[in-house]
Amino acid sequence: SAVISQKPSRDICQRGTSLTIQCQVDSQVTMMFWYRQQPGQSLTLIATANQGSEATYESGFVIDKFPISRPNLTFSTLTVSNMSPEDSSIYLCSVGLQNNEQFFGPGTRLTVL
Amino acid sequence: GQSLEQPSEVTAVEGAIVQINCTYQTSGFYGLSWYQQHDGGAPTFLSYNALDGLEETGRFSSFLSRSDSYGYLLLQELQMKDSASYFCAVRDSSGTYKYIFGTGTRLKVLA
């Protein structure tokens, strides 16, 4: 298993600003993922962040808007840039283990005014 | 395109058995996972099927038919604490082995 922490747990931001979300894992993992989830909705994958390579973004998500860093095997950041109210959501990081299990962080609840 | 369809809501009584179905259409398939998510919480991993057949883990079982692009989660001896949202997710075999999540099923367990 893996224990994942995220910071901040929640934030309220003004439109046009940026927020960086941190994801810390208690063990070394290759595969990390960033998701977005609206309340009552499913999870939408933003990007895959594997250490040693550039992040791979899903359709509808671009690096300029959601830059991701993956400096080592236990840490990643997701930045939500130039925010608008439409970016209000819960952002989740997760790790994929070799046995195909996936563990999630507690999430970051973002509100953009 | 890729799609995973689930019933939006299922209701059952305590002690009953409930089955949550998932049909998928993806460009690549490596395996099917199931997750539970309580309101306000993060998804938690329940099971993973890579091969056809039934996997049993306590009160929960998961089934996969790759030829039918279909799977289900079976919950037995339902308890009130099982009230939650349940998501299937396909692990894609193309590219980054990412997980694509289904639409989600909200399970309500009644006393």
Side-chain angles (χ1 to χ4, degrees):
Chain A
S1 67
V3 177
I4 305 167
S5 60
Q6 280 184 239
K7 283 196 280 189
S9 58
R10 59 178 61 227
D11 207 341
I12 301 173
C13 301
Q14 297 297 319
R15 69 172 67 210
T17 63
S18 298
L19 176 72
T20 295
I21 302 168
Q22 299 179 10
C23 180
Q24 180 75 52
V25 190
D26 70 340
S27 57
Q28 294 185 334
V29 293
T30 302
M31 290 177 287
M32 291 184 78
F33 306 93
W34 286 97
Y35 293 87
R36 186 167 73 180
Q37 185 178 31
Q38 300 282 358
Q41 303 294 313
S42 184
L43 287 80
T44 301
L45 182 64
I46 298 172
T48 302
N50 291 341
Q51 200 275 336
S53 61
E54 301 227 347
T56 303
Y57 289 84
E58 296 301 305
S59 176
F61 298 96
V62 295
I63 188 171
D64 289 347
K65 174 69 175 178
F66 297 99
I68 288 171
S69 78
R70 185 77 203 274
N72 56 54
L73 290 172
T74 63
F75 187 77
S76 178
T77 67
L78 169 76
T79 299
V80 186
S81 305
N82 188 25
M83 288 184 285
S84 66
E86 292 71 35
D87 295 320
S88 297
S89 189
I90 298 169
Y91 291 84
L92 296 146
C93 69
S94 76
V95 300
L97 303 186
Q98 294 294 333
N99 61 358
N100 298 302
E101 295 184 20
Q102 183 178 195
F103 291 90
F104 286 83
T108 296
R109 184 180 292 268
L110 172 62
T111 301
V112 184
L113 303 177
Chain B
Q2 303 188 91
S3 69
L4 287 85
E5 297 295 326
Q6 300 178 234
S8 59
E9 190 171 297
V10 173
T11 302
V13 297
E14 269 190 303
I17 300 172
V18 71
Q19 179 174 311
I20 299 173
N21 299 321
C22 172
T23 56
Y24 59 87
Q25 182 178 356
T26 57
S27 55
F29 181 87
Y30 196 68
L32 185 71
S33 301
W34 288 92
Y35 297 82
Q36 178 190 63
Q37 185 178 33
H38 287 99
D39 287 347
T44 57
F45 174 83
L46 292 176
S47 68
Y48 179 82
N49 293 66
L51 304 175
D52 287 358
L54 190 69
E55 296 277 346
E56 298 182 56
T57 308
R59 294 189 297 115
F60 294 0
S61 303
S62 56
F63 172 83
L64 174 65
S65 169
R66 295 175 67 128
S67 60
D68 294 324
S69 297
Y70 165 76
Y72 65 73
L73 180 69
L74 191 72
L75 296 85
Q76 303 181 69
E77 300 173 18
L78 279 175
Q79 302 175 9
M80 297 295 289
K81 67 178 181 179
D82 297 329
S83 292
S85 293
Y86 292 83
F87 296 93
C88 61
V90 162
R91 188 156 198 204
D92 195 329
S93 62
S94 56
T96 59
Y97 288 88
K98 63 192 178 189
Y99 296 85
I100 306 299
F101 276 72
T103 51
T105 299
R106 190 165 187 87
L107 171 64
K108 294 183 182 178
V109 180
L110 306 176

